[in-house]
Amino acid sequence: MKHPITLYKKRLTILLVTLCALSWSWAGEIDLIPKPLRIEQSEGHFRLTSKATIGYDTALQEQAEYQQQLLGQSTGWDLALKPEARKATIRLELKPGEVGHPEGYRLEVTPKGVTVTGEDQGGVFYGIQTLLQLFPAEVYSDRRQHDIEWTAPAVTIYDAPNRPWRGMMLDVARYFYHKEFVKKYIDMMAMYKLNKLQLHLIDDSGWRLEIKKYPRLTDVGAWAGHDARRLGGYYTQEDIKELIAYARVRNVEIIPEIEFPAHILSAIVAYPWLSCTGLQHEVPLQHFISKDLLCVGKESSIQFLSDILDETVALFPSAYINIGGDEAVYTRWESCPHCQAVVKREGLKDASELQGYLTNVVAEMMKKKGRTVVGWEEILLRGEVKTPVVGVFWHNVADTIEATRTGHKAILTPATHMYFDFPESQTPGEVKAATWMPPISVEKCYGMEINDYSPQSTVLGVQGCFWSDQFIHGTTLQEIDCLDENRSENYAEYLTFPRLLALSEVAWAPQAARNYRDFAQRLSHHFARLDFKDCHYRVPEPHIEKMATTPDGKLEFTLSPTVDRSLIRYTTDGSYPTTHSPIYTGPVTVADKSDFKAITVVTDTHYSLPIYFAPDYSAYKSYGEFTTEWKPLVVQTQKAPWRFECTGKIAGNGHYAISFIPTKGANPLRLGSLKLYKRDELLAEVAQPSTTDGQATTYRFTVDTFEAGTPFFVEVEAYGEGGNDTSGLVFILKEQ
Ligand code: ACM
Ligand code: ZN
């Protein structure tokens, strides 16, 4: 990443070239994200000078120091702190009851000074965040910025969150992020008023939390591979204390996720007696969901949980302890005499209800310590749970109706809208990311509905999830040469931003206040702020304002910028635009849609993918989802295996039909036997197609061991008869 000042200069130069041609506004606007409840704008501006002072009520010292330090970095001024709010230039006041809503605030900016009145420390912190968004974007730089007018428009803002839980989950287990990155993530969350960080500390591929009583968890379970190629890491208890203190100032509560009974292979590698079989395994180097569970039938397992949760509770002040609980398959429990003895003793229906049993045991354990258990939705859907807990719903948010019937609460993180490990687009060249659901654009994320599915309004709020299984231990990214140091961190930022800003508004503002076009307009002004934060966000493509057919049958594109202080560059011959392609200044006419490509250029090294028009496969709808295509180049003339990926098209257990449809060419494609693989595991082998309907050749198979996040492949025997002049399309249909 270049020095932000260098970037900014470069961008200014580009800007000056085109300012006359493009009429987007970029200064002095109120473009707050998340949108506050009420804004009253008045005359004039507040101007920050080196003489300004920050006064604060005694309980607000941390918030005052935070503000002093942040303003100090970018302005270069050492603003004086006054441990009394009255008479200072910027006054931070704590007035419980005055705003009338937890985390609420009133911000008054006048030409004379600024007053932030908070309901609590969180409210004051958010008042400060809103004030920062009123200053020029440079305020976010951690280096001194010269020649900036540090002004903020005069306003009065009343604001409070719509719901108390505005979260992000960061998967530090599949990829170990250094604590400095976690701090940066917290900082960015706080900038957008998110207040809960669920740290996914444990998974099959790594145990990331130091537990003094069980040192092998981190000596062994935190590492994959061997010797010089060993990958992984963990947070010491001191690291965790540092993160908690850092987060507290920023009104972020860190909730540890201690995952069990599944996704715990790393602990089983360290202590094989934790599993039903007691077999020795290795920490995997690739994404893998182990079938080994914590053996719930052994007293030693419950003691283990009690011990690690004791240390966890002592370390984390959060009112919540997350116990994971997702994606357990119960085959090990079904064949384990210890587990079956519990099924019998407790009168359970089957092994799956052992999960509900275990949730009850742990929820009671935590209740005695004054903590509430949180976990993925599965903790509530596998047998009755008596102690009130909180479910994090990632599949069907309507399941909250059933789960909250008995007094439990819910957090919504539907994978369809809030999983930031999915790509934003299907544009060729998009980063490798999760595929078991369609891409999630910013607009889709922003459009997430928050219905109170349960009658008693038990939805605490919304959470985004960032899973790291796409670059577990950095493996995927090691394939990408052009990425430099900290590549996984850059990749995590690329996938998280700007969608985190959409999440921010979904979680903070009432649903009725949301309007995507208005949000997109405000968002366009936030990328410069993200630049000054050194954030490697995904640059959005230009927006197509209009696509009109001209009288002579051509297409005329009118574009608008999606990033303030950027350029649009384009081509009209179908080639990929570069940072030297012509600059867009007005409508462009082309003969065909596919001739037109345009990108957003923020800097020479930070630009978007081109606007992309996905091919129209609606004529083939009855064959399912487009999966791949064949062209002469990949066709052999002798029978040979053709292997292609179909991850994402295999979406859950069920019956599938895969169809091969020729579209062009003189030579027919002949097909033999077909195999379906889950990574390297053969799941199905079909000797013959089951139907040929004149258009398509179709094979049918069944999947009963689906795992989300694991790649699937088809291998089919194929050849072009008499030559390779053949092209066609492949579709997969999930029949039930
Ligand atoms: C999950 O995505 N397995 C909660
Ligand atoms: Zn067992």
Side-chain angles (χ1 to χ4, degrees):
M1 184 68 187
K2 291 204 170 50
H3 192 291
I5 295 173
T6 328
L7 284 184
Y8 181 49
K9 280 200 179 136
K10 192 174 281 174
R11 288 166 56 171
L12 262 184
T13 324
I14 314 176
L15 181 78
L16 290 174
V17 179
T18 48
L19 203 58
C20 305
L22 292 170
S23 59
W24 65 73
S25 54
W26 65 287
E29 294 217 347
I30 296 184
D31 48 30
L32 303 168
I33 294 178
K35 190 176 185 155
L37 280 183
R38 189 140 54 94
I39 304 178
E40 291 164 10
Q41 202 161 356
S42 32
E43 284 297 301
H45 281 82
F46 166 71
R47 183 184 304 273
L48 187 72
T49 69
S50 60
K51 307 243 165 16
T53 53
I54 302 172
Y56 59 94
D57 289 346
T58 26
L60 297 172
Q61 184 166 345
E62 282 187 340
Q63 288 71 25
E65 285 171 358
Y66 166 89
Q67 191 180 34
Q68 180 201 37
Q69 196 219 350
L70 203 131
L71 291 175
Q73 288 173 2
S74 50
T75 63
W77 300 327
D78 190 14
L79 303 181
L81 285 182
K82 291 189 164 183
E84 193 201 346
R86 283 184 308 123
K87 293 202 184 136
T89 326
I90 300 175
R91 295 172 289 278
L92 307 182
E93 299 177 347
L94 190 65
K95 293 199 176 154
E98 190 158 312
V99 182
H101 195 294
E103 302 175 282
Y105 66 91
R106 189 180 65 229
L107 170 68
E108 259 187 289
V109 181
T110 72
K112 290 209 173 96
V114 175
T115 309
V116 180
T117 310
E119 181 72 13
D120 44 31
Q121 275 99 339
V124 172
F125 181 80
Y126 292 146
I128 294 171
Q129 289 308 316
T130 301
L131 175 64
L132 292 173
Q133 288 195 20
L134 294 173
F135 280 125
E138 288 77 1
V139 79
Y140 290 99
S141 176
D142 63 1
R143 298 177 185 91
R144 184 170 183 177
Q145 302 293 302
H146 296 275
D147 305 325
I148 305 291
E149 294 275 321
W150 297 108
T151 57
V155 281
T156 302
I157 292 174
Y158 302 87
D159 200 11
N162 199 40
R163 290 182 196 261
W165 192 293
R166 305 177 303 281
M168 263 311 295
M169 190 265 337
L170 180 62
D171 174 4
V172 297
R174 264 64 167 269
Y175 177 80
F176 176 68
Y177 298 91
H178 192 270
K179 72 177 177 209
E180 292 309 321
F181 179 79
V182 181
K183 284 188 189 168
K184 184 176 180 190
Y185 214 77
I186 291 169
D187 208 38
M188 305 295 294
M189 285 173 63
M191 186 172 161
Y192 291 103
K193 303 188 175 84
L194 300 182
N195 65 350
K196 309 276 184 212
L197 174 62
Q198 175 185 335
L199 264 192
H200 183 74
L201 287 160
I202 285 137
D203 215 299
D204 292 311
S205 45
W207 183 286
R208 309 282 172 226
L209 176 65
E210 180 190 25
I211 298 289
K212 306 239 191 229
K213 192 154 185 184
Y214 297 95
R216 285 177 60 83
L217 288 173
T218 44
D219 286 352
V220 176
W223 304 98
H226 297 284
D227 307 321
R229 295 194 51 79
R230 202 172 79 139
L231 294 164
Y234 65 92
Y235 307 109
T236 64
Q237 295 200 355
E238 287 309 308
D239 290 336
I240 293 290
K241 286 180 195 161
E242 192 180 321
L243 288 173
I244 291 169
Y246 188 85
R248 189 191 58 231
V249 179
R250 289 159 178 78
N251 199 47
V252 173
E253 180 177 340
I254 303 186
I255 294 134
E257 184 189 346
I258 307 295
E259 166 100 90
F260 59 86
H263 289 285
I264 195 174
L265 185 66
S266 54
I268 292 172
V269 171
Y271 298 104
W273 48 264
L274 287 170
S275 76
C276 293
T277 64
L279 295 175
Q280 183 66 60
H281 296 275
E282 291 216 335
V283 177
L285 266 164
Q286 285 196 316
H287 180 55
F288 171 65
I289 303 179
S290 173
K291 290 194 180 61
D292 279 287
L293 306 184
L294 180 79
C295 177
V296 68
K298 290 191 233 169
E299 196 45 50
S300 53
S301 304
I302 306 298
Q303 187 59 47
F304 171 80
L305 285 182
S306 170
D307 291 340
I308 54 168
L309 289 169
D310 270 357
E311 285 195 38
T312 306
V313 165
L315 198 53
F316 291 86
S318 169
Y320 300 98
I321 300 293
N322 189 308
I323 61 167
D326 60 324
E327 296 185 312
V329 290
Y330 302 106
T331 44
R332 296 284 191 265
W333 284 354
E334 279 159 4
S335 55
C336 168
H338 303 287
C339 290
Q340 285 305 311
V342 181
V343 170
K344 205 161 160 206
R345 188 186 76 211
E346 299 294 322
L348 304 177
K349 182 170 76 55
D350 57 26
S352 76
E353 290 201 345
L354 279 171
Q355 178 146 11
Y357 162 80
L358 187 59
T359 304
N360 274 309
V361 169
V362 177
E364 269 307 300
M365 231 185 245
M366 291 298 95
K367 194 172 151 194
K368 290 202 181 92
K369 292 177 181 293
R371 310 297 175 96
T372 300
V373 155
V374 187
W376 300 110
E377 64 193 24
E378 286 93 328
I379 67 164
L380 280 168
L381 303 175
R382 306 283 187 272
E384 195 188 344
V385 174
K386 297 195 187 78
T387 313
V389 297
V390 181
V392 183
F393 288 81
W394 59 287
H395 277 112
N396 184 358
V397 289
D399 279 344
T400 53
I401 299 171
E402 175 56 21
T404 57
R405 189 179 45 86
T406 43
H408 303 298
K409 295 212 184 302
I411 295 157
L412 307 182
T413 183
T416 46
H417 293 72
M418 286 296 160
Y419 268 32
F420 297 164
D421 54 317
F422 287 93
E424 274 193 38
S425 78
Q426 54 175 324
T427 304
E430 185 61 272
V431 297
K432 195 167 173 177
T435 48
W436 56 275
M437 293 257 188
I440 302 173
S441 65
V442 177
E443 184 167 4
K444 183 169 183 190
C445 175
Y446 187 82
M448 183 200 150
E449 297 213 1
I450 313 177
N451 294 320
D452 250 325
Y453 296 92
S454 50
Q456 306 95 346
S457 185
T458 45
V459 175
L460 292 177
V462 183
Q463 184 163 296
C465 282
F466 186 70
W467 295 101
S468 305
D469 47 301
Q470 292 303 309
F471 51 98
I472 185 163
H473 304 304
T475 45
T476 297
L477 295 182
Q478 285 157 21
E479 297 163 11
I480 305 172
D481 291 337
C482 59
L483 293 177
D484 51 11
E485 283 307 301
N486 296 326
R487 47 202 170 179
S488 297
E489 284 74 4
N490 292 356
Y491 180 87
E493 288 179 8
Y494 178 96
L495 285 167
T496 304
F497 296 94
R499 285 182 291 197
L500 181 137
L501 281 71
L503 161 66
S504 153
E505 193 148 307
V506 170
W508 179 277
Q511 189 156 317
R514 279 192 250 153
N515 172 319
Y516 184 68
R517 285 310 300 155
D518 172 58
F519 171 77
Q521 183 62 33
R522 283 178 281 127
L523 177 63
S524 70
H525 297 268
H526 279 252
F527 293 101
R529 296 184 171 107
L530 299 183
D531 276 331
F532 284 109
K533 284 294 231 184
D534 218 358
C535 172
H536 300 76
Y537 57 87
R538 180 186 186 278
V539 178
E541 300 84 339
H543 176 66
I544 301 176
E545 209 53 57
K546 206 162 112 201
M547 186 171 70
T549 309
T550 61
D552 56 351
K554 295 194 165 155
L555 276 177
E556 186 189 75
F557 283 92
T558 309
L559 304 181
S560 62
T562 48
V563 178
D564 185 24
R565 312 187 191 182
S566 72
L567 290 176
I568 296 171
R569 292 186 182 264
Y570 70 98
T571 58
T572 52
D573 59 2
S575 65
Y576 210 103
T578 69
T579 53
H580 302 290
S581 299
I583 294 170
Y584 175 90
T585 53
V588 172
T589 305
V590 285
D592 189 78
K593 219 158 66 165
S594 61
D595 292 338
F596 184 64
K597 299 230 176 336
I599 59 173
T600 302
V601 179
V602 181
T603 69
D604 282 355
T605 54
H606 201 192
Y607 45 87
S608 76
L609 293 168
I611 290 173
Y612 173 67
F613 303 102
D616 179 8
Y617 295 124
S618 55
Y620 303 103
K621 222 165 108 197
S622 62
Y623 294 102
E625 278 191 71
F626 171 75
T627 303
T628 190
E629 60 188 331
W630 75 85
K631 293 203 153 114
L633 214 59
V634 301
V635 175
Q636 313 281 327
T637 48
Q638 305 288 330
K639 196 190 267 188
W642 172 35
R643 187 176 164 96
F644 55 86
E645 189 164 355
C646 58
T647 318
K649 313 303 177 237
I650 303 298
N653 290 331
H655 301 299
Y656 288 87
I658 177 163
S659 299
F660 297 78
I661 304 176
T663 51
K664 250 192 348 212
N667 305 113
L669 185 77
R670 299 292 176 205
L671 297 164
S673 72
L674 177 142
K675 292 174 183 157
L676 177 77
Y677 289 91
K678 181 170 79 181
R679 199 183 301 277
D680 300 323
E681 184 188 343
L682 181 63
L683 289 192
E685 183 161 10
V686 197
Q688 296 286 333
S690 57
T691 47
T692 21
D693 67 2
Q695 187 176 30
T697 303
T698 301
Y699 295 76
R700 290 193 163 77
F701 54 82
T702 303
V703 173
D704 50 22
T705 54
F706 175 75
E707 282 172 37
T710 309
F712 288 83
F713 299 92
V714 165
E715 195 178 284
V716 62
E717 290 177 334
Y719 69 99
E721 192 176 73
N724 66 354
D725 179 17
T726 169
S727 303
L729 306 167
V730 181
F731 294 85
I732 294 185
L733 178 70
K734 187 163 190 272
E735 297 190 308
Q736 32 164 293

